[in-house]
Structures are given as C-alpha cells and as structure tokens.
Amino acid sequence: METARIAPDTPAALASPSASDHGADLALSPANDVSPSSSATSIVDPPTAATADDGANGPFDREAQASGDGNSNGGNQVTFSMTAGTFSVTAALNISLPPSPARPSSPAEATPDNRAGTPPDRGTPTPNSSASAPSRLETVRSPQLSLDPPEITPAMADDIRCWICYGDYTETPSHRWVKPCKCRGSLGFTHESCLLRFIASKGDTEKPCCPQCQTPYRLISPAPASLVWLRRADALIGKAVPYVVMLGAGLSAIFVSTTYGVYVLMAMGGDEADKWLADPEWGWRVWAGLPLIPVGLVVARLDSLDRVLPLVPLWLLDAKGITVSWPPSPVTAMVALPWLRAAYKSLRRSITEAILLPILLERDPAEEELHNETDLGKPVEPAVDAEAERARREQALADLRLSNKRDMTRMSVDAIVFPAVAAHVGRALAAWVPGFKRVFPTTLLQSLVGGVVVVVAKDVIGLRYRYLKLSAARRKRV
Amino acid sequence: MPDTRRLQRELKEAASATAADGSAIKLELVGTDLTHMKGEIAGPAGTPYEGGRFVLDIKIPDTYPFAPPIIKFETSVYHPNVSSQTGAICLDILRNEWTPVLGIAKALLSVQQLLESPEPDDPQDAVVAAHYKRDRRDFERTAAAWTQFYAKTGDAATDVDFDKLGVDARAVQRLVEMGFDKAAVVRALRQAQGNEDAAVETLLSSME
C-alpha cells in the first residue's frame, strides 16, 4: 500500500467536483499491483469500494470500468472523498462519454499482461476517448495538473521513459506512472515509486520540486487519523524534550540548593536551627528561602550590593525580633551583620591602600636617575611636579583596585564553602578558647564570630600575599 | 546499492552512441563491478585540449542516481576547474546541481563542455586559475603542452615543450635515459619541484 501520492501544486487538484473534468480521478485508486480482492482494502474510502471492488487491476482498468458504468448512466458524477487526517481530498469522477468501440468491453480483457504484450491495442485509457489521438496528445501537453495519472496514448508510449530509473513505459505499463510537473514531452513522466524515492533522497530540508521545471511536488499522505495524531504527539514530545530537561535541571538545582540551605542553617545555628527546622509547618518563606541561601551567599559577595545589603534583612526579617540585648537574638545578629560588613570593608580598603600604595609609588632608582636627568638644567616647577605626583598616585590606586578583581568562580566557591568553615572555626574557638562560650553562648553567635575570624585571617594573609607579590614585581629585572 | 538496471541501460546506450557517431565520448566498465567505470572524452576542437583523449575515473555511489557519480580526470589536465594534482573536477552538476535526469554520459558531456569554457572565477586549482587570468596566451600554451604530453599517444607525445610542463627538459632527458617512463619522470619531477634526486627517489620507491 502506498504511503504518499504526488500531484503538482495546483488548486485544481483539490478543487470541487466540477473542476476535475479531465477524466476519472484515479488518484484515489489503490496501488495497481494489488490483487482485486485487496484493492478494496486500500486507501479508498467505503463509498468508492463499489468501483474498486469489481476486478479493477490498474488505473486504466479502473477507467474502463468507470466509464463502462458511465455509458449506461450517461454522465454520472461520483464524488470520492478521502479523509486523510490533516488532508482531505475531495475529487470527482465526471464521466460523460459515448461508448467507444476501441475500449475493451470488459475489465477482464484489459489485464496488464495483455496490454504489456500489445501496447497499440491497449484500450484507450482516457475517458475523453471520443477524441482522436492528436487531441489527446494536446491534453497532455497542456500540463495536466491534477491527481490524475497521466494520459498515455499508444503513440506516446514508446517515447516515455522514467527519468529516474530510465525504465521505458512499454516495459512497465502496470506500474503507477505520474506526470507531476510542467515538464513537456517524455521527461515529464516517471514512476511514482521512483519519484517518491527521489523526494526521500532530498531529505526534509528541501521542499520537493521538479529539478527541471521547479514545479513543487505536492505530496498527499493518506494517513489514518490515528497516525496523524501519533505523528503530532511525536513532534510535540520531540519539542518538549529540551524543556523537560531544563525543568529537571532546574528542579535538581532547587533540590540541591535547599539541601545546602538546610545544611548551612544547621551548621551555623546548631541545635536551635535543628529545632526550628524540625517544625513540620514550613511556610513559603522557608520553602523559598532555603534554596535562596546559596544564591544569596554568592550574590552578597558582589561589591555593587554594598549599598542595599544593610537594608535587606530589615525588610526580610521580622522587625519585632530586633532587640538590643546580649547575647543578641538571631534576628538582631543578622540585621547587624551587613553593617558590620560594610564598616569592615571600608576599613580593609584603607588598610590595604595604606600598606600597598607606598610600594607602587616607590620610584625605581634607575627611573629616578632618568627623571633627574631630563630635568637637568631646568628649574623644577613644584606645581607641575605635584600635579604629576597626584596623577601617579591616582594611577597607582586604580592599578591596585584593578589587581584586586577576583574571578567569579573562585568567589562563588569561596562564598559556598564559607558557612561551613565559619561554623567549624566557631566551634573550635568555643572548645579551645577559655571564656569564649560565656561571651557567645549560642551556636549562631559562635559561628558568626568564627566567620569574622576567618574573614580577618583571610584578609590579613591576602594582604601579606599581595604585598609580597607587589614588592617582588617591583624588584623584577630582565 | 545503486540502480543497477539503470546503470546497465546507461552503459548500453553509451556503447551504442559511441558506435553510431564516432567517439566523442566513451564509457566502459573497469571490471565486472558496475560501480566503477572509465570514461573517455575528446578534447574539444579549437581549445588547447584539441586532439587529446582524456580518461576519467567514474565511481558510482550507492545512492545513484540520486547522488551524482564521482568523476575525476585520470589524465592530467591543465585547466582552472580541474586539480592538476588529483584530477578532481569542480563542476556544479557533479555536486549540488545534479539531478537524476542527467546520466553519466551527460555528465561526461558537461565535463567536455567545461574544457571548452573554463570558469576561472570558481576554480578547483587556484594556481592554474591565476595563470589563466594573468596570461591567457601562456596558459593556453601550457595547457596545450600538457595535452600533448599526457593526452596524446604515439609520436605526438615526444615533441613536447617540457618547460611548459614545469620541468627541465634536460632533467627529463637524463632520467629517461636512466630507464624510467617519461610520464612518470615528468610527474615525479613536478612533485619534487625540479629536484632530480628527490624525483629519482620517488621513481625508485614507486617501482618497488
């Protein structure tokens, strides 16, 4: 059974019954190689089964058969309708022919073997059989743009060859031949099966069309509705896959973030946090807040947030929790932290600049000499010198700040690891430093102080490192 | 598998065409395998390729006739659209303009047509194309010398301007006296860029 059929891209092919007066519309007939009994089970819908059933073996037999009916009815009109899922093709069989003596009187006479053996004796294949051969040729010359199989007269048969397999018409008249484009002469004909293979070889990227005349081929797939729906579902699933993957990745990210958030809370807050988390009634704040903890940790590292950060906890946390007492409540501690941080940062900058700037401003002995030489003999204007000195200083400051840029990945890892380190340091301090537990009784406070210690230690080491690097760079010689 | 029936038909038709109207184009199987053929085209009159017989190697891909045959010159040709090294042909119908309507014989005709009208703006061999554009006369003399040497048989091939082949005539003479085949000598010398010792080495190694 065939899966697709070809017709030139023209509205006529899908036109109303009146438009198809070229002849019997046999595009709807089944593949001609099937046996008579199976032909009824092919793509033709039940209404057409009456014609398809009685021994029709090929397009021409079908026509002979159909026109045989037409003879008695004197021009009946049979409407074939085929539901093809997305496509719906309605074509008509409009037969108004006088009987032709040349036509075989019964379908049995027109077996394919018979015709293959004696092509000139073949029954006239077209319903317009009253016309003589030349006029029939004309019908073909004016491109017959419909689903009809081409009209092939005995006179033409010898010239016709499939432009794809080079098979002659006379060898395979029982195959389905199509004339799907506007190409004239013998080039226009091809086996439908060859053409389908040709179109398949072009892949899906190109719109199939005739390579000579560029007429687009129109493919009709008589697909059952279930196939159409399954195909759509398939396409939909294909499209949805990347989104599902993204959704999965997002969900796992949230899952991991939440777990991490829980870990941070437990590490920093100790038993209190444990108790709080054990509360089965998690509100939306918890559900949203836990996965946001790692995000917040990283984002909080951005310098651009320095201005807003001190205000965020005030807005996020319950203001009622802010009390001035010792030990401070968790809320107070969280609110105070950003302020502490901002103050610390500005202090750190001043210290860094105070320590590192002198190295940058220190003149090379060689440069110094050069400097003196160029100025030799010229009275040095103090104002100019001061100006230059100021520019140098600004340049050095800019250099310093630029050199302090850290990359995102390092910073993120730093931020993620930080709570664990802070908590452990806090616990270690509580264990080893006498009196520490008395001043900072809660786990949260211990962790916070641990964090402060870690930050200060890290900055001191970092500063020392930069100092050594800078002075080493200064002394570098080639 | 390629369409064997079509290939057989094409071969038969090419044979009958050759028999009928002289020998503008020849097409025959190399062995028994339908996927490997040899073609032969005559150099078009009025071109530097006139009088030459050019042999082409034709391989039929599995998807034939939906994919074009793979055709290259076996005879060396000096032409902007043919690689002077490999014989590869730059011709649209042998690439994306191929359609099953064309057959192997039509493809060979198109190659013959290409000899007549080179397309230096879409070159396969950039050096040759540059030569063609720079000095058409000199290009034609070189192309004629190549035709003379590679594409003609018998005595015609002895009287060749070796300078035009890009090799030293005396070097060719010396190596031929050593007992090597002349065409092989010229090829080896070109490959070795005139270095005689290197050429001898190539020749010796190719004999083993």
Side-chain angles (χ1 to χ4, degrees), chain A residues 184-218:
Chain A
R184 290 173 180 215
S186 63
L187 259 186
F189 295 91
T190 171
H191 291 116
E192 188 180 55
S193 56
C194 289
L195 190 58
L196 286 170
R197 280 202 299 145
F198 170 68
I199 291 166
S201 78
K202 288 282 179 186
D204 293 337
T205 47
E206 281 172 69
K207 204 173 182 310
C209 66
C210 170
Q212 280 76 241
C213 69
Q214 310 300 329
T215 309
Y217 294 136
R218 217 162 50 82

Short mmCIF file of all heavy atoms in Angstrom, two decimals, chain A residues 184-218:
data_model
loop_
_atom_site.label_atom_id
_atom_site.label_comp_id
_atom_site.label_asym_id
_atom_site.label_seq_id
_atom_site.Cartn_x
_atom_site.Cartn_y
_atom_site.Cartn_z
N ARG A 184 7.55 19.14 -20.36
CA ARG A 184 6.85 18.62 -21.53
C ARG A 184 7.54 17.39 -22.07
O ARG A 184 8.71 17.14 -21.77
CB ARG A 184 6.81 19.70 -22.61
CG ARG A 184 5.90 20.81 -22.19
CD ARG A 184 5.98 21.94 -23.15
NE ARG A 184 5.08 22.98 -22.70
CZ ARG A 184 4.41 23.75 -23.53
NH1 ARG A 184 4.55 23.60 -24.81
NH2 ARG A 184 3.61 24.67 -23.05
N GLY A 185 6.82 16.70 -22.91
CA GLY A 185 7.40 15.55 -23.58
C GLY A 185 7.65 14.42 -22.61
O GLY A 185 7.07 14.35 -21.53
N SER A 186 8.56 13.56 -23.02
CA SER A 186 8.74 12.32 -22.27
C SER A 186 9.38 12.58 -20.91
O SER A 186 9.29 11.76 -20.01
CB SER A 186 9.60 11.35 -23.07
OG SER A 186 10.88 11.90 -23.26
N LEU A 187 10.06 13.72 -20.76
CA LEU A 187 10.74 13.99 -19.50
C LEU A 187 9.78 14.15 -18.32
O LEU A 187 10.17 14.06 -17.18
CB LEU A 187 11.55 15.29 -19.61
CG LEU A 187 13.04 15.13 -19.84
CD1 LEU A 187 13.71 16.47 -19.77
CD2 LEU A 187 13.64 14.18 -18.83
N GLY A 188 8.53 14.42 -18.65
CA GLY A 188 7.59 14.70 -17.58
C GLY A 188 7.11 13.47 -16.84
O GLY A 188 6.51 13.58 -15.80
N PHE A 189 7.41 12.30 -17.40
CA PHE A 189 6.82 11.09 -16.82
C PHE A 189 7.81 10.36 -15.94
O PHE A 189 9.00 10.34 -16.22
CB PHE A 189 6.35 10.16 -17.93
CG PHE A 189 5.24 10.74 -18.74
CD1 PHE A 189 5.50 11.50 -19.87
CD2 PHE A 189 3.93 10.54 -18.36
CE1 PHE A 189 4.48 12.05 -20.61
CE2 PHE A 189 2.89 11.10 -19.10
CZ PHE A 189 3.16 11.85 -20.22
N THR A 190 7.28 9.78 -14.91
CA THR A 190 8.14 8.98 -14.05
C THR A 190 7.29 7.98 -13.28
O THR A 190 6.08 8.16 -13.15
CB THR A 190 8.91 9.89 -13.08
OG1 THR A 190 9.56 9.08 -12.13
CG2 THR A 190 8.02 10.85 -12.35
N HIS A 191 7.96 6.95 -12.81
CA HIS A 191 7.26 6.02 -11.93
C HIS A 191 7.01 6.74 -10.61
O HIS A 191 7.89 7.44 -10.11
CB HIS A 191 8.14 4.79 -11.62
CG HIS A 191 8.34 3.89 -12.78
ND1 HIS A 191 9.58 3.67 -13.33
CD2 HIS A 191 7.48 3.14 -13.51
CE1 HIS A 191 9.47 2.82 -14.33
NE2 HIS A 191 8.20 2.49 -14.48
N GLU A 192 5.84 6.53 -10.07
CA GLU A 192 5.58 7.17 -8.78
C GLU A 192 6.56 6.69 -7.72
O GLU A 192 7.06 7.46 -6.91
CB GLU A 192 4.15 6.88 -8.33
CG GLU A 192 3.76 7.69 -7.12
CD GLU A 192 2.35 7.39 -6.68
OE1 GLU A 192 2.04 6.21 -6.44
OE2 GLU A 192 1.57 8.35 -6.57
N SER A 193 6.86 5.40 -7.75
CA SER A 193 7.76 4.86 -6.73
C SER A 193 9.15 5.49 -6.85
O SER A 193 9.78 5.82 -5.85
CB SER A 193 7.85 3.35 -6.85
OG SER A 193 8.25 3.00 -8.15
N CYS A 194 9.62 5.68 -8.10
CA CYS A 194 10.93 6.31 -8.29
C CYS A 194 10.92 7.74 -7.76
O CYS A 194 11.86 8.18 -7.10
CB CYS A 194 11.30 6.33 -9.77
SG CYS A 194 11.71 4.72 -10.43
N LEU A 195 9.83 8.43 -8.08
CA LEU A 195 9.75 9.82 -7.68
C LEU A 195 9.72 9.94 -6.16
O LEU A 195 10.34 10.83 -5.57
CB LEU A 195 8.52 10.47 -8.30
CG LEU A 195 8.46 11.99 -8.15
CD1 LEU A 195 9.68 12.62 -8.78
CD2 LEU A 195 7.21 12.54 -8.81
N LEU A 196 9.02 9.01 -5.54
CA LEU A 196 8.97 9.04 -4.07
C LEU A 196 10.35 8.80 -3.49
O LEU A 196 10.74 9.43 -2.51
CB LEU A 196 7.97 8.00 -3.55
CG LEU A 196 6.51 8.39 -3.75
CD1 LEU A 196 5.61 7.22 -3.44
CD2 LEU A 196 6.16 9.58 -2.86
N ARG A 197 11.10 7.91 -4.13
CA ARG A 197 12.46 7.68 -3.66
C ARG A 197 13.31 8.93 -3.87
O ARG A 197 14.13 9.30 -3.04
CB ARG A 197 13.10 6.50 -4.39
CG ARG A 197 12.66 5.16 -3.83
CD ARG A 197 13.65 4.09 -4.18
NE ARG A 197 13.79 3.93 -5.62
CZ ARG A 197 14.93 3.63 -6.23
NH1 ARG A 197 16.03 3.46 -5.55
NH2 ARG A 197 14.96 3.51 -7.54
N PHE A 198 13.10 9.59 -5.02
CA PHE A 198 13.83 10.82 -5.31
C PHE A 198 13.54 11.87 -4.25
O PHE A 198 14.45 12.53 -3.73
CB PHE A 198 13.44 11.33 -6.70
CG PHE A 198 13.96 12.71 -7.01
CD1 PHE A 198 15.32 12.92 -7.17
CD2 PHE A 198 13.09 13.78 -7.12
CE1 PHE A 198 15.81 14.18 -7.46
CE2 PHE A 198 13.58 15.04 -7.41
CZ PHE A 198 14.93 15.25 -7.58
N ILE A 199 12.27 12.02 -3.93
CA ILE A 199 11.89 13.03 -2.95
C ILE A 199 12.48 12.67 -1.59
O ILE A 199 12.99 13.52 -0.87
CB ILE A 199 10.36 13.17 -2.89
CG1 ILE A 199 9.86 13.80 -4.18
CG2 ILE A 199 9.93 14.01 -1.69
CD1 ILE A 199 8.38 13.69 -4.38
N ALA A 200 12.44 11.39 -1.28
CA ALA A 200 13.01 10.96 0.00
C ALA A 200 14.51 11.24 0.05
O ALA A 200 15.05 11.60 1.09
CB ALA A 200 12.75 9.47 0.21
N SER A 201 15.18 11.10 -1.11
CA SER A 201 16.63 11.32 -1.12
C SER A 201 16.98 12.77 -0.89
O SER A 201 18.10 13.11 -0.51
CB SER A 201 17.21 10.87 -2.46
OG SER A 201 16.97 11.86 -3.46
N LYS A 202 16.02 13.66 -1.14
CA LYS A 202 16.28 15.08 -0.94
C LYS A 202 16.24 15.45 0.53
O LYS A 202 16.65 16.52 0.92
CB LYS A 202 15.22 15.91 -1.69
CG LYS A 202 15.40 15.88 -3.18
CD LYS A 202 16.52 16.81 -3.57
CE LYS A 202 16.76 16.79 -5.05
NZ LYS A 202 17.93 17.57 -5.41
N GLY A 203 15.71 14.59 1.33
CA GLY A 203 15.63 14.89 2.75
C GLY A 203 14.49 15.85 3.05
O GLY A 203 13.73 16.25 2.15
N ASP A 204 14.39 16.21 4.29
CA ASP A 204 13.27 17.05 4.72
C ASP A 204 13.56 18.54 4.58
O ASP A 204 12.67 19.37 4.67
CB ASP A 204 12.94 16.77 6.20
CG ASP A 204 12.40 15.36 6.35
OD1 ASP A 204 11.90 14.83 5.35
OD2 ASP A 204 12.49 14.82 7.46
N THR A 205 14.84 18.86 4.35
CA THR A 205 15.20 20.28 4.37
C THR A 205 14.69 21.00 3.14
O THR A 205 14.30 22.16 3.20
CB THR A 205 16.72 20.44 4.45
OG1 THR A 205 17.31 19.56 3.48
CG2 THR A 205 17.23 20.10 5.82
N GLU A 206 14.69 20.29 2.00
CA GLU A 206 14.28 20.97 0.79
C GLU A 206 12.80 20.69 0.53
O GLU A 206 12.31 19.60 0.79
CB GLU A 206 15.07 20.43 -0.40
CG GLU A 206 16.45 21.00 -0.51
CD GLU A 206 17.24 20.28 -1.60
OE1 GLU A 206 16.90 20.46 -2.78
OE2 GLU A 206 18.16 19.54 -1.26
N LYS A 207 12.15 21.68 -0.01
CA LYS A 207 10.79 21.46 -0.45
C LYS A 207 10.89 20.70 -1.77
O LYS A 207 11.59 21.12 -2.69
CB LYS A 207 10.12 22.82 -0.68
CG LYS A 207 8.61 22.76 -0.56
CD LYS A 207 8.07 24.17 -0.64
CE LYS A 207 6.58 24.26 -0.48
NZ LYS A 207 5.74 23.44 -1.27
N PRO A 208 10.26 19.57 -1.87
CA PRO A 208 10.46 18.79 -3.08
C PRO A 208 9.88 19.48 -4.30
O PRO A 208 8.76 19.97 -4.26
CB PRO A 208 9.73 17.48 -2.77
CG PRO A 208 8.76 17.80 -1.70
CD PRO A 208 9.35 18.91 -0.92
N CYS A 209 10.67 19.52 -5.35
CA CYS A 209 10.17 20.08 -6.60
C CYS A 209 10.90 19.44 -7.76
O CYS A 209 11.91 18.78 -7.58
CB CYS A 209 10.35 21.61 -6.62
SG CYS A 209 12.06 22.10 -6.66
N CYS A 210 10.33 19.63 -8.93
CA CYS A 210 10.93 19.06 -10.13
C CYS A 210 12.28 19.72 -10.38
O CYS A 210 12.36 20.95 -10.40
CB CYS A 210 10.02 19.29 -11.33
SG CYS A 210 10.80 18.88 -12.89
N PRO A 211 13.35 18.96 -10.55
CA PRO A 211 14.66 19.57 -10.75
C PRO A 211 14.77 20.32 -12.08
O PRO A 211 15.66 21.14 -12.25
CB PRO A 211 15.63 18.39 -10.69
CG PRO A 211 14.81 17.18 -10.97
CD PRO A 211 13.42 17.50 -10.50
N GLN A 212 13.88 20.03 -13.01
CA GLN A 212 13.96 20.72 -14.30
C GLN A 212 13.12 22.00 -14.30
O GLN A 212 13.61 23.09 -14.53
CB GLN A 212 13.47 19.82 -15.44
CG GLN A 212 14.47 18.81 -15.91
CD GLN A 212 14.60 17.66 -14.93
OE1 GLN A 212 15.66 17.43 -14.40
NE2 GLN A 212 13.51 16.95 -14.67
N CYS A 213 11.84 21.84 -14.01
CA CYS A 213 10.95 22.99 -14.17
C CYS A 213 10.61 23.63 -12.84
O CYS A 213 9.88 24.61 -12.80
CB CYS A 213 9.68 22.58 -14.91
SG CYS A 213 8.62 21.49 -13.96
N GLN A 214 11.16 23.11 -11.77
CA GLN A 214 10.99 23.68 -10.43
C GLN A 214 9.55 23.67 -9.92
O GLN A 214 9.26 24.31 -8.92
CB GLN A 214 11.52 25.12 -10.35
CG GLN A 214 12.92 25.32 -10.90
CD GLN A 214 13.95 24.47 -10.18
OE1 GLN A 214 13.81 24.19 -9.00
NE2 GLN A 214 14.97 24.04 -10.88
N THR A 215 8.68 22.96 -10.61
CA THR A 215 7.33 22.86 -10.08
C THR A 215 7.37 22.10 -8.76
O THR A 215 7.93 21.02 -8.69
CB THR A 215 6.44 22.03 -11.04
OG1 THR A 215 6.59 22.56 -12.34
CG2 THR A 215 4.99 22.09 -10.61
N PRO A 216 6.82 22.70 -7.73
CA PRO A 216 6.84 21.97 -6.45
C PRO A 216 5.94 20.74 -6.55
O PRO A 216 4.86 20.80 -7.13
CB PRO A 216 6.27 22.97 -5.44
CG PRO A 216 6.09 24.25 -6.18
CD PRO A 216 6.13 23.99 -7.64
N TYR A 217 6.43 19.66 -6.00
CA TYR A 217 5.60 18.46 -5.94
C TYR A 217 4.68 18.58 -4.75
O TYR A 217 5.07 19.10 -3.71
CB TYR A 217 6.46 17.21 -5.76
CG TYR A 217 7.35 16.90 -6.91
CD1 TYR A 217 8.66 16.52 -6.71
CD2 TYR A 217 6.89 16.98 -8.21
CE1 TYR A 217 9.50 16.22 -7.76
CE2 TYR A 217 7.72 16.69 -9.28
CZ TYR A 217 9.03 16.31 -9.04
OH TYR A 217 9.84 16.01 -10.09
N ARG A 218 3.47 18.10 -4.96
CA ARG A 218 2.57 18.13 -3.82
C ARG A 218 2.37 16.69 -3.36
O ARG A 218 1.98 15.84 -4.13
CB ARG A 218 1.23 18.73 -4.22
CG ARG A 218 0.61 19.57 -3.12
CD ARG A 218 -0.45 20.47 -3.69
NE ARG A 218 -1.38 19.72 -4.51
CZ ARG A 218 -2.40 19.03 -4.02
NH1 ARG A 218 -2.62 18.99 -2.73
NH2 ARG A 218 -3.21 18.37 -4.82
#
